[in-house]
Amino acid sequence: MREPRFLTGGAAVTRAAADLVCPLVCGGCARPGTAWCRRCDRSLHDAPISVRPRVFPAAPVWALGRYRGVHRRAVLAVKEHDRRDLVAPLGSALAHGIRTLARWGELPDAPTLVLIPAPTRRLAARRRGGDRVTAFAHHAATALGPRVRVVPVLATAATARDSAGLDARARARNLSGAIRPRTRKVALPHRATTILVDDVMTTGATAAESVRVLRRAGVGVDAVVVVAAA
């Protein structure tokens, strides 16, 4: 295949060398030669599914798919292997899922849509090179249009331990009181549809505590939408 003009000469050599050191593979299926293939993109753009986690938040929960296959590999690639190039396709898939839910009538009609990223532990965000959930939300908001805002209003206390390996009851205890608003007063647009977004839902403890904290601050959550549900 002939190289495009802008990749001739030194640029083409540089890219070839980079591929030898770190081969380009699809973040969803490891297909070589592409960062994200069409088949995996179609998988993430499937219809959202309704989810009933063990710790149920006081809002409907939807996922783009189950935490397996393409969904699991893509999320892990972003979170654990620093595949920042996958933020865009995952954010686009999140936008598609929200559009579908609106078309189904599952979201209230309002002048503004607010996306609130679920909180990420500061240490985990630093280790991963940034808050990936907020990055997904920003990309989704851009895809959805100018009436969509991202409001990262939630934070996790440093005292909260990593929930990996904990069962539903232990996760709920761990997060009780550990999630809080970043500011004393949470100000959101008047008459807005509000969605809590996250990457993976396991037991539902994070979403349930986040919704509880937001409602205590006077913010109603209309739905929870995640990339994948375990």
Side-chain angles (χ1 to χ4, degrees):
M1 177 176 162
R2 187 177 177 182
E3 289 285 356
R5 290 185 180 182
F6 56 82
L7 279 180
T8 56
V13 172
T14 301
R15 192 186 75 170
D19 285 346
L20 287 173
V21 175
C22 185
L24 183 65
V25 298
C26 174
C29 65
R31 178 183 177 183
T34 181
W36 186 245
C37 73
R38 291 183 181 179
R39 180 180 297 177
C40 290
D41 199 54
R42 285 195 299 270
S43 293
L44 256 68
H45 282 73
D46 205 349
I49 58 174
S50 178
V51 178
R52 184 88 186 177
R54 280 171 284 178
V55 183
F56 193 77
V61 181
W62 298 88
L64 304 186
R66 294 293 179 189
Y67 188 54
R68 59 190 179 216
V70 172
H71 293 74
R72 180 177 183 274
R73 288 190 291 267
V75 169
L76 286 177
V78 174
K79 292 175 65 173
E80 307 300 336
H81 303 294
D82 200 25
R83 285 290 302 269
R84 303 181 192 191
D85 56 313
L86 299 183
V87 167
L90 288 175
S92 295
L94 184 63
H96 174 78
I98 292 171
R99 281 196 203 97
T100 301
L101 293 174
R103 191 173 67 249
W104 288 350
E106 296 292 344
L107 299 175
D109 190 18
T112 307
L113 173 64
V114 172
L115 305 181
I116 299 181
T120 300
R121 291 170 64 248
R122 190 173 301 176
L123 187 62
R126 190 181 302 124
R127 177 173 61 83
R128 294 165 182 162
D131 183 348
R132 298 294 184 240
V133 174
T134 299
F136 295 156
H138 276 295
H139 193 89
T142 300
L144 288 167
R147 294 195 302 161
V148 183
R149 289 183 53 189
V150 178
V151 184
V153 72
L154 295 175
T156 303
T159 53
R161 54 185 284 214
D162 190 347
S163 292
L166 301 180
D167 62 18
R169 185 174 299 178
R171 281 175 182 259
R173 283 199 305 266
N174 180 46
L175 292 171
S176 179
I179 294 174
R180 60 179 186 272
R182 293 179 185 272
T183 57
R184 183 170 296 179
K185 186 176 180 181
V186 178
L188 295 183
H190 181 58
R191 290 180 57 216
T193 296
T194 304
I195 299 176
L196 179 75
V197 299
D198 206 350
D199 50 6
V200 179
M201 175 172 287
T202 49
T203 64
T206 299
E209 182 67 8
S210 297
V211 170
R212 188 186 69 81
V213 168
L214 287 168
R215 293 199 168 180
R216 193 172 58 190
V219 178
V221 176
D222 298 296
V224 178
V225 180
V226 300
V227 175

